[in-house]
Amino acid sequence: GQMLWQDNRALDFTNGAAGQPSEGQLEHCVQLSAASGYWSSLPCSSQKGFICKKANSAKVHQAHRHMNVWIVLTLLLVILLGMGFMIYFLIKVRTQREAEGEAKQSSNVLTGGDAEDDATHEEKNEQSVV
């Protein structure tokens, strides 16, 4: 015989006292001795308290810890991707501005300066003299 839970699943842990359960008492229920921590058999018709099987709290805690690690890693990845895009676009804008500035300088050198800029400078100079 084998000891079973009420839902007929096999017990994965037993803590019987020496000689417990005896072969003739396998159809009985077990009780837990608070003093010793050992189990002993008794008739199932006895009016006693009962033990409910629960999920192992260490496993549940470990599952929560794994979930928290994945959440943190996902947030870290999102932050790093955001920073990468920001750096990429800042560099792109900077190089475009530098290229536009160099193109403007080279056009000024080729044309000998901007005629409109020279005219406005001369007008300002004339106004300041008057």
Side-chain angles (χ1 to χ4, degrees), residues 27-39:
E27 69 280 350
H28 288 195
C29 292
V30 294
Q31 69 177 350
L32 172 66
S33 169
S36 67
Y38 289 116
W39 298 3

Side-chain angles (χ1 to χ4, degrees), residues 45-114:
S45 60
S46 300
Q47 297 292 320
K48 298 283 184 178
F50 54 90
I51 298 173
C52 297
K53 184 176 180 182
K54 288 185 170 183
N56 187 346
S57 63
K59 289 180 183 179
V60 171
H61 184 66
Q62 186 177 10
H64 286 295
R65 197 173 332 138
H66 285 299
M67 184 184 296
N68 290 342
V69 168
W70 281 111
I71 290 171
V72 169
L73 288 175
T74 302
L75 287 173
L76 186 63
L77 179 66
V78 168
I79 289 170
L80 289 175
L81 283 172
M83 289 176 63
F85 279 119
M86 186 174 68
I87 291 170
Y88 168 77
F89 286 114
L90 287 174
I91 291 173
K92 185 176 179 180
V93 166
R94 179 194 240 177
T95 54
Q96 283 178 343
R97 286 183 182 166
E98 288 174 356
E100 289 172 359
E102 289 173 5
K104 188 174 183 180
Q105 283 180 348
S106 65
S107 69
N108 284 343
V109 169
L110 292 176
T111 61
D114 193 23

Side-chain angles (χ1 to χ4, degrees), residues 6-35:
Q6 281 185 326
D7 63 1
N8 292 325
R9 288 183 294 132
L11 288 173
D12 53 0
F13 172 77
T14 59
N15 193 24
Q20 292 289 331
S22 62
E23 278 301 316
Q25 297 176 330
L26 282 177
E27 69 280 350
H28 288 195
C29 292
V30 294
Q31 69 177 350
L32 172 66
S33 169

